[in-house]
Amino acid sequence: MDKIKRLRRDVFFMAIKESFISTVPYLVISSIIVLINQLLLLTGLSSSFINNALLSKIIGYMSNFFPVILMTSIAFHFSKRNNINNIFIITLSFAIFITIESIINAHNSQSLLNEAGVSFFMLIIPIVSIVLFNIIPKFEKDLKLSNGQLSHVFFHLKPFVIIYFFSIVTYLIVLKGLETIASSINFSFLDLDLLSVMALRTLGSQILWFFGAHGPNTPSIIEPNDSINNILINNVSYQAFYDVFIVFGGSGAGLSLILAALIYSKSKHITQISKISLPFAIFNINETLIYGLPIVLNRFLLIPFITIPLLNIAIAFFFLDFFGITFVNNQVSWITPIFINAFIATGGNGSALLLQVVLVVVGIIVYTPFIKRYSLAQSSSNHVENLKNNLEMIELMESTEGIKSNISESKIIKSNLEVDKIINFISSNKLAVHYQPKIDIIDQHCSSYEALLRIRKDDGTISGPFFLESLELAGLASIIDLWVCRELKKHYQIWQLSGFNPKVAINIHPDTMTDNKAIGLIINELKGLNVEFEIIERESVKSPSSISNIMRLHDSGFDISLDDFGVGYSSFETLTFLPMNTVKIDKSLIDNIESEKGYHICKNIFTMCNDLGLTCVAEGVEKDIQYLKLKSMGVRYIQGFYFEKALPFNRIDRYKPTFKVFDFYQKTAS
């Protein structure tokens, strides 16, 4: 799968996750009302303001209207991801649903909202609408109307009308086709026993849940619901067997999933949703888990979610048959917590309790590799923790708050797989900080350097870091910056033992510059050392937080250098309001210095910097002609391969720049 397809897929699943997570508060309220209702049933408490009849009606309405809430959430998040007007997609989705609801109701006096499988239908409406919207051509944006808002409405009108009628016709055709297929198939020839019926119904229920439909309540075309009170084995009814041994914690053995997530997941999102879901899962309510994690359309959890209930059926049936476990009470409520329900149903049979323990443990074991994979694939916070550990940054980064504050989640996902590889690479301790000399060509010596991140390859060669862009996309640049600062401090401690105290410049990523905590940690690490910070000029450098942190660094005694000046976001305005000490002229300008225009551009920049009292450094000098032209302008500091590449920290105290013959003659003549 190429990167574009992978990105589109990840954006799709991110929108799905966001849509379901947004419905969690609604599901939590619904679950609380269910628990209150069961408490009233068990205690017999009631009043004119709150009673079982009222709560049952509220539960029914909340259950019926959940698909509408879900459809609205999906329409909002998918339209946002696709840069389409939110109200347009929400309005279109409601128009389609209301029309189809009216047609169905007029045809057979049946409401779609009362059908348990309607969630999947409501999920499909906005997604299909957005897909069609991106395909269907719109009215031209320059529609000649005096009212701008009216122009915007007409711009959306054509796709609105086309999608509306297309969706209605398509749905009715599909519905008619399914009815024809269902009526033509006779399942009576299967003559299945009750255990096989349970397995098929459970399989169908889990698949329906996966697609967003309420599995247990969706009518089965294989077996009617009146079979659930039949005896399965040893005086254990179908329903009691299912409630006590198959769906503890809710459909998919939610309790096992939650425990596996709490034990093995390194994703903050998964852990938090599991904690929220646990109190409800104890009472076998797991909508918060299914829609909040989510399990719906989650390709990582599909296999265990479907197979664990089937595995529970096989294990529990064999266990009951082998040990002869019988029930004395088949009327235990489905909301009764695990262990308590088995104790009540069997009259305290220890073997039944042991069986539940075994099933929970087996579920945890099966879920574990899948939850680990899901955690790794979707967790950017996991990358942060791994980087912290691998770069020995635990004490420097007690909190990662702010690192990803301006990083969109879609970008994080785009780089996740590559970041995984990077973390494994970094963990082998192949990172190093090297130092490239800045040469004073007037006095012909070197006392300043730039710290650069380097990689030690297996063959012993040194190269630049290939992964910085991916770490930037994942919002992890701050941790690398902090690690470089810590390495520099170690090197200074060694240099100072021999009286060597060079000036060293460090590049600070724009994301780090907006992170107050990271800047505070950097100041604490390097306070009092002869350090200069190089900042890259981007739009973010003008943000209040970035300006504030640049001032913090300057006020703490550090010089500030403006890197890569002359390309990209370069603005003379930056030189007027930031406390700059040095300006580094970008290599792209130096490469053009041989031309007349390039020469005059560089000369005027250097003249301007001198007039402003700023030190100028020419970057990327590689040729004699570049060096000579820069020298003729009076430029003092040069950096580049013309003199030396970046050196290991234990070599720079012995480094002496080598000047060519024309420099030697010029110096002796003067």
Side-chain angles (χ1 to χ4, degrees), residues 149-220:
Q149 181 63 28
L150 191 59
S151 297
H152 185 70
V153 170
F154 273 96
F155 175 70
H156 292 96
L157 183 59
K158 183 166 68 173
F160 191 105
V161 173
I162 294 174
I163 294 170
Y164 171 79
F165 285 107
F166 175 84
S167 300
I168 292 170
V169 172
T170 302
Y171 177 82
L172 294 177
I173 292 174
V174 171
L175 182 63
K176 187 63 177 178
L178 292 175
E179 289 177 350
T180 303
I181 294 172
S183 62
S184 64
I185 298 177
N186 185 359
F187 291 94
S188 60
F189 71 92
L190 295 175
D191 192 24
L192 300 174
D193 59 75
L194 198 55
L195 183 65
S196 299
V197 169
M198 175 181 288
L200 287 175
R201 286 172 62 93
T202 301
L203 175 62
S205 172
Q206 298 303 107
I207 293 174
L208 288 169
W209 266 128
F210 181 77
F211 286 104
H214 196 291
N217 291 344
T218 303
S220 172

Side-chain angles (χ1 to χ4, degrees), residues 387 391 418 422 425-426 430-434 450-457 461-472 477 480-481 483-484 507 509 641 646:
L387 273 178
L391 301 183
E418 189 171 352
I422 293 167
F425 179 86
I426 290 174
K430 294 181 179 179
L431 287 187
V433 177
H434 283 205
E450 179 182 358
L452 299 172
L453 196 61
R454 290 292 182 261
I455 296 172
R456 303 186 193 94
K457 295 184 178 179
T461 59
I462 302 296
S463 69
F466 63 88
F467 49 73
L468 293 183
E469 182 179 357
S470 293
L471 290 180
E472 177 181 352
I480 293 294
D481 286 349
W483 183 82
V484 170
N507 292 284
H509 192 274
F641 286 1

Side-chain angles (χ1 to χ4, degrees), residues 106-302:
H107 179 67
N108 55 17
S109 300
Q110 183 180 3
S111 173
L112 278 176
L113 289 178
N114 293 326
E115 293 187 9
V118 75
S119 295
F120 180 67
F121 168 59
M122 306 291 268
L123 183 153
I124 290 297
I125 289 176
I127 295 177
V128 172
S129 297
I130 288 172
V131 171
L132 293 175
F133 182 87
N134 288 324
I135 297 174
I136 297 172
K138 291 82 179 172
F139 283 114
E140 293 299 324
K141 287 186 178 181
D142 59 351
L143 196 63
K144 303 301 182 181
L145 292 174
S146 59
N147 188 300
Q149 181 63 28
L150 191 59
S151 297
H152 185 70
V153 170
F154 273 96
F155 175 70
H156 292 96
L157 183 59
K158 183 166 68 173
F160 191 105
V161 173
I162 294 174
I163 294 170
Y164 171 79
F165 285 107
F166 175 84
S167 300
I168 292 170
V169 172
T170 302
Y171 177 82
L172 294 177
I173 292 174
V174 171
L175 182 63
K176 187 63 177 178
L178 292 175
E179 289 177 350
T180 303
I181 294 172
S183 62
S184 64
I185 298 177
N186 185 359
F187 291 94
S188 60
F189 71 92
L190 295 175
D191 192 24
L192 300 174
D193 59 75
L194 198 55
L195 183 65
S196 299
V197 169
M198 175 181 288
L200 287 175
R201 286 172 62 93
T202 301
L203 175 62
S205 172
Q206 298 303 107
I207 293 174
L208 288 169
W209 266 128
F210 181 77
F211 286 104
H214 196 291
N217 291 344
T218 303
S220 172
I221 62 173
I222 298 176
E223 181 70 18
N225 288 337
D226 55 14
S227 65
I228 64 176
N229 293 318
N230 294 344
I231 298 300
L232 180 68
I233 184 176
N234 298 350
N235 196 41
V236 180
S237 72
Y238 177 113
Q239 186 65 58
F241 180 86
Y242 188 81
D243 290 342
V244 174
F245 296 119
I246 311 307
V247 289
F248 48 84
S251 295
L255 189 60
S256 292
L257 172 57
I258 289 173
L259 294 176
L262 292 176
I263 296 171
Y264 296 107
S265 173
K266 296 181 180 179
S267 163
K268 290 183 179 180
H269 165 72
I270 294 176
T271 301
Q272 289 170 352
I273 288 294
S274 298
K275 289 178 180 179
I276 293 172
S277 303
L278 182 58
F280 303 106
I282 291 173
F283 297 95
N284 302 313
I285 300 170
N286 72 339
E287 279 81 354
T288 53
L289 187 67
I290 287 175
Y291 292 106
L293 196 58
I295 291 173
V296 177
L297 296 181
N298 188 330
R299 63 191 185 279
F300 294 99
L301 299 178
L302 171 61

Side-chain angles (χ1 to χ4, degrees), residues 380-448:
S380 59
S381 61
N382 184 44
H383 297 324
V384 176
E385 294 301 321
N386 279 336
L387 273 178
K388 285 163 55 181
N389 292 332
N390 289 328
L391 301 183
E392 298 178 350
M393 295 291 292
I394 296 175
E395 67 271 30
L396 286 180
M397 283 294 291
E398 295 176 354
S399 168
T400 59
E401 181 180 1
I403 289 183
K404 299 177 294 302
S405 59
N406 295 320
I407 306 297
S408 69
E409 204 163 0
S410 61
K411 288 185 177 180
I412 295 174
I413 289 177
K414 179 180 178 181
S415 61
N416 262 351
L417 295 177
E418 189 171 352
V419 172
D420 289 334
K421 296 177 184 178
I422 293 167
I423 291 171
N424 292 331
F425 179 86
I426 290 174
S427 64
S428 58
N429 295 319
K430 294 181 179 179
L431 287 187
V433 177
H434 283 205
Y435 300 88
Q436 186 170 37
K438 295 179 184 178
I439 310 300
D440 182 340
I441 63 174
I442 303 298
D443 291 341
Q444 297 191 357
H445 79 284
C446 177
S447 60
S448 299

Side-chain angles (χ1 to χ4, degrees), residues 570-642:
S570 289
S571 168
F572 292 110
E573 180 192 14
T574 305
L575 301 177
T576 65
F577 70 89
L578 289 178
M580 296 296 171
N581 303 95
T582 303
V583 172
K584 299 188 71 175
I585 309 304
D586 189 74
K587 182 180 185 301
S588 62
L589 295 181
I590 304 302
D591 288 340
N592 289 315
I593 201 171
E594 298 174 46
S595 68
E596 183 177 357
K597 288 183 179 179
Y599 177 85
H600 286 294
I601 288 173
C602 289
K603 183 177 181 181
N604 281 284
I605 291 176
F606 291 134
T607 300
M608 177 193 68
C609 290
N610 287 331
D611 291 342
L612 294 174
L614 300 173
T615 300
C616 246
V617 178
E619 291 186 289
V621 179
E622 297 177 351
K623 302 177 183 178
D624 284 336
I625 186 65
Q626 293 173 342
Y627 170 75
L628 291 173
K629 284 183 176 291
L630 290 167
K631 189 170 184 179
S632 69
M633 297 177 190
V635 176
R636 182 161 197 152
Y637 296 100
I638 284 178
Q639 182 179 352
F641 286 1
Y642 182 78

